[in-house]
Amino acid sequence: MRFFSPRFVGLTLAALLASLSLSAAERPRNVILIIGDGMGYNHLTAARLLRGDIDQPLAMEQLPVVANVTTTSAGGSRVTDSAAAATAMATGHKTSNGRIATLPDGASVPTLFETLRARGWSLGIVTDGDLNGATAGAFTAHADSRDDKPTIARQMIALAPDFMLGTTAEFYFPTDAAPVTLASARSAGLTVFQDVALADLPPDAASPLLLGYTAMVDETASLAARQTVAGHNAPTLTAAFAVAVKQLQARDRPFFLLFENDWIDSWSHENAYELVADSVVQLDDAVAAIMAFAERDGHTLMLITADHECGGLTLRDEENAFIGHHFSTEEHTAATVPLFAYGPGADRFAGSLANTDIHRRLRELLP
């Protein structure tokens, strides 16, 4: 049995009171939370430049609700990492860097996934990073360290989201004392495929469905350098969304989908400008597909934001009217990040927010 800190009780009561004034039309049936890991404002401009028109907004920038989000973490360093930032969004609590849905004193706090699972919602995860990485981990597990990948993987399997897709190079631990293997995941009741092309999936694949890939950065190889980290049969994020939403809708229940582009952050750490811009473009292509679904559905709230900015990217004038780029660091920064929203309840995310407010306002909206 996990110990949950009593500190979450006040937040829960506040969310309950705020939700009482909502009409049914203001409540989304489904939520899609899209995380551009490491994505700051200038990353968006870089993607516009790559597409050839700095004045043409990205799909995400055309959503009707816009907010600015601060990302500080608790403890000695106020510049967050992905674990503390995801914990803030998943639980509504600030924590110290490296922690997965636990407070600085070690106490566990309930996550949105746990709360919604108890209410009968379907749950989904799509990421082109590690399936048991910091972002997905903070929504599905409790650990003192993001590096405790076996614990995160075991708890994720125990929670058994209805759909999971991501990199599994660090998910299966055949030599660990309490191993997570393809066999053990299947024994736990999951339908598991490894490095299988989405087109080759059987149409009747049952949930919970786990699709693992050796690596996921192909995105149709828009830049040749991406192929050095592309996995066998790796799908694009856009294709992954199509499969995820089909699987989740088949459950005929409200669903929450966590959707992440992890490589914006990875390439920002490398100061690899073209790959950073390309990763934002690939995410925006997926956002366009998600937007089209949300418009058709009419009951889905979509939120696009970042856990933090990475690289301190700036864009500047150079000779011959050419816009150059500069990274000030290979690490994360404290820069404010964007949030874009569309759908029922989207207006509640306008303005200036802390990352914990994302959790609080979702709790106010969800029945």
Side-chain angles (χ1 to χ4, degrees):
M1 179 180 295
R2 295 191 184 105
F3 168 72
F4 291 120
S5 166
R7 281 180 249 180
F8 80 91
V9 174
L11 184 148
T12 302
L13 291 175
L16 175 61
L17 292 173
S19 70
L20 294 177
S21 63
L22 290 172
S23 68
E26 293 177 287
R27 298 184 187 276
R29 174 177 168 82
N30 312 307
V31 177
I32 303 174
L33 175 58
I34 303 161
I35 306 295
D37 199 317
M39 184 178 70
Y41 281 97
N42 281 336
H43 292 73
L44 304 177
T45 306
R48 290 190 188 195
L49 286 166
L50 182 61
R51 279 191 165 152
D53 187 349
I54 192 173
D55 295 318
Q56 178 60 42
L58 303 177
M60 67 181 84
E61 294 177 298
Q62 298 179 53
L63 298 187
V65 175
V66 181
N68 301 309
V69 182
T70 58
T71 65
T72 56
S73 61
S77 174
R78 301 306 299 276
V79 177
T80 193
D81 76 336
S82 295
T87 294
M89 290 184 276
T91 73
H93 292 272
K94 296 283 189 180
T95 194
S96 47
N97 290 345
R99 287 194 165 275
I100 297 292
T102 57
L103 300 179
D105 63 6
S108 294
V109 280
T111 72
L112 267 175
F113 268 36
E114 290 171 322
T115 299
L116 295 178
R117 170 52 56 85
R119 296 178 182 179
W121 283 51
S122 293
L123 306 173
I125 299 167
V126 170
T127 178
D128 57 7
D130 291 337
L131 188 58
N132 55 339
T135 301
F139 281 80
T140 58
H142 303 270
D144 290 333
S145 172
R146 61 184 289 173
D147 296 327
D148 190 356
K149 294 292 187 72
T151 291
I152 296 170
R154 285 193 294 271
Q155 291 186 29
M156 188 175 289
I157 285 177
L159 183 64
D162 301 85
F163 184 86
M164 294 171 279
L165 185 151
T167 300
T168 48
E170 296 190 36
F171 192 85
Y172 298 115
F173 297 87
T175 61
D176 188 69
V180 175
T181 63
L182 285 166
S184 67
R186 288 170 177 146
S187 296
L190 276 65
T191 303
V192 182
F193 294 93
Q194 181 65 34
D195 288 327
V196 173
L198 296 181
D200 294 334
L201 288 175
D204 57 349
S207 294
L209 177 60
L210 192 162
L211 305 181
Y213 294 89
T214 304
M216 273 189 61
V217 198
D218 188 321
E219 294 293 356
T220 68
S222 57
L223 290 175
R226 294 184 73 106
Q227 297 182 36
T228 63
V229 285
H232 182 60
N233 282 330
T236 67
L237 283 173
T238 302
F241 169 72
V243 173
V245 75
K246 179 180 179 181
Q247 192 75 16
L248 292 170
Q249 284 189 302
R251 306 288 284 176
D252 197 26
R253 298 183 300 193
F255 69 78
F256 190 108
L257 173 62
L258 178 66
F259 191 92
E260 180 194 30
N261 182 307
D262 180 66
W263 283 90
I264 300 168
D265 181 64
S266 298
W267 294 131
S268 294
H269 280 296
E270 298 292 329
N271 289 178
Y273 174 76
E274 285 189 325
L275 292 168
V276 166
D278 185 61
S279 292
V280 178
V281 167
Q282 301 303 331
L283 176 62
D284 198 56
D285 287 344
V287 166
I290 295 169
M291 178 66 182
F293 164 78
E295 286 181 325
R296 292 193 306 270
D297 178 70
H299 304 287
T300 296
L301 169 65
M302 58 183 294
L303 303 172
I304 304 109
T305 190
D307 47 1
H308 53 74
E309 195 273 351
C310 184
L313 176 62
T314 58
L315 302 169
R316 61 194 182 192
D317 280 331
E318 293 190 355
E319 294 181 4
N320 302 318
F322 178 76
I323 297 179
H325 65 271
H326 172 72
F327 289 95
S328 63
T329 179
E330 294 180 349
E331 305 302 328
H332 301 167
T333 74
T336 300
V337 298
L339 180 146
F340 308 101
Y342 171 82
D347 58 325
R348 290 182 171 245
F349 294 87
S352 296
L353 309 175
N355 52 10
T356 49
D357 290 329
I358 295 172
H359 177 276
R360 179 173 63 84
R361 296 185 186 197
L362 281 171
R363 288 293 301 270
E364 291 171 2
L365 280 171
L366 303 183

